[in-house]
């Protein structure tokens, strides 16, 4: 049985323990990669002359992944809040589209919603958006558990990197490829279980088109905007296909 099937099988009871048991198999491979990336962030932050506790503090207060690398590089320099805000907004702008996609799944989550919004990283979005929540498990608690496990692994990694970064010489080059491979696996799993492939095909097409047009990392924002436009235009077609596949 693969991890996706194991993480979505029926779990008795709808409490927090059941939610954690359902979320753990899906989050565990992501947590392993996130810990190593967190160590990388901690080592990098300390190498800039910042205190050992700064990576852990940013992991709790910001929880922005790549944004934390940027913030760490800015902290030793002159105070420039406008530049920090603008750069962080551009880097994390993809979360605007994540938020629009999660408006419906987050409905009815009550007091859990503020944390779900705050902790919605790439990995948590990938799981929570397409997860087949086990029967008997509250969806809000399941999504909360996924987000908490992912953030906890990031905090743990950043803390370890901050504490030991100055003591243990580490070659961190190339570690980020692990997360790229992980997203490929998640994409393949979602493709296999999706009721319609229109959103995925739109994402592939827009990404390839703007990468060929712009030929730099700046292609991401226009590609995401184009995907959002395509999905809005084809919303009725997508909903009809999903309804037909459910019959």
């Amino acid at each position: 049985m693969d991890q996706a099937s194991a993480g979505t099988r029926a779990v008795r009871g709808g409490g927090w323990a059941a939610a954690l048991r359902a979320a753990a198999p899906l989050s565990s491979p992501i947590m392993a990669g996130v810990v190593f990336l967190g160590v990388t962030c901690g080592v990098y932050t300390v190498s800039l002359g910042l205190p050992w506790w700064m990576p852990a503090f940013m992991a709790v207060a910001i929880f922005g992944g790549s944004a934390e690398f940027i913030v760490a590089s800015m902290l030793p320099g002159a105070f420039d809040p406008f530049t920090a805000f603008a750069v962080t907004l551009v880097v994390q702008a993809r979360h605007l589209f994540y938020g629009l996609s999660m408006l419906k799944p987050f409905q009815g989550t009550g007091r859990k919603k503020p944390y779900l919004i705050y902790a919605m990283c790439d990995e948590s979005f990938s799981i929570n958006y397409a997860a087949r929540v086990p029967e008997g498990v509250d969806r809000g608690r399941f999504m909360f558990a996924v987000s908490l496990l992912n953030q906890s692994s990031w905090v743990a990694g950043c803390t370890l990197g901050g504490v030991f970064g100055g003591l243990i010489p580490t070659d961190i080059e190339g570690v980020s490829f692990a997360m790229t491979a992980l997203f490929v696996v998640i994409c393949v799993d979602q493709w296999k279980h999706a009721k319609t492939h229109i959103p995925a095909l739109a994402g592939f097409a827009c990404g390839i088109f703007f990468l060929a047009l712009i030929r730099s990392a700046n292609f991401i924002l226009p590609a995401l905007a184009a995907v959002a436009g395509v999905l809005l235009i084809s919303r009725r077609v997508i909903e009809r296909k999903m309804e037909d596949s459910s019959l």
Side-chain angles (χ1 to χ4, degrees):
M1 180 181 294
D2 58 25
Q3 288 179 333
S5 299
T8 54
R9 62 174 181 250
V11 179
R12 294 184 181 275
W16 286 105
L20 284 169
R21 287 197 298 270
L26 295 176
S27 294
S28 55
I30 289 177
M31 292 170 65
V34 167
V35 167
F36 282 107
L37 287 178
V39 170
T40 303
C41 183
V43 171
Y44 173 73
T45 302
V46 173
S47 71
L48 297 174
L50 296 170
W52 67 267
W53 51 265
M54 185 59 70
F57 176 77
M58 291 194 300
V60 173
I62 301 175
F63 189 41
S66 55
E68 293 178 36
F69 284 88
I70 296 173
V71 171
S73 66
M74 290 182 172
L75 286 176
F79 180 65
D80 189 354
F82 177 78
T83 300
F85 172 80
V87 172
T88 304
L89 178 62
V90 171
V91 171
Q92 301 293 91
R94 64 190 184 280
H95 288 266
L96 297 172
F97 301 95
Y98 294 170
L100 291 174
S101 301
M102 296 303 292
L103 287 176
K104 186 174 181 179
F106 282 175
Q107 288 180 355
T109 54
R111 291 180 295 179
K112 296 180 284 295
K113 184 183 291 186
Y115 178 74
L116 291 173
I117 295 173
Y118 155 74
M120 187 174 60
C121 60
D122 298 348
E123 297 80 9
S124 297
F125 168 78
S126 298
I127 295 176
N128 287 334
Y129 182 73
R132 298 171 295 282
V133 181
E135 182 180 354
V137 175
D138 178 74
R139 182 175 182 85
R141 290 182 176 180
F142 171 84
M143 293 190 295
F144 190 99
V146 168
S147 301
L148 181 63
L149 289 172
N150 289 338
Q151 185 181 14
S152 298
S153 62
W154 178 252
V155 174
C158 289
T159 302
L160 289 173
V163 172
F164 298 109
L167 302 176
I168 304 175
T170 306
D171 183 7
I172 60 177
E173 186 177 356
V175 174
S176 60
F177 177 77
M179 298 308 294
T180 302
L182 180 60
F183 274 113
V184 172
V185 174
I186 292 174
C187 179
V188 171
D189 179 71
Q190 292 185 3
W191 176 278
K192 290 168 60 178
H193 296 93
K195 296 179 180 179
T196 174
H197 297 312
I198 293 178
L201 293 173
F204 290 142
C206 293
I208 293 172
F209 174 79
F210 282 97
L211 177 60
L213 181 66
I214 300 176
R215 297 183 181 276
S216 74
N218 296 325
F219 83 96
I220 295 177
L221 289 182
L224 288 174
V227 171
V230 171
L231 294 181
L232 286 174
I233 294 173
S234 58
R235 177 181 176 182
R236 293 186 180 276
V237 176
I238 295 173
E239 290 178 346
R240 184 166 60 250
K241 286 183 174 293
M242 294 181 67
E243 291 175 358
D244 293 342
S245 62
S246 300
L247 298 177

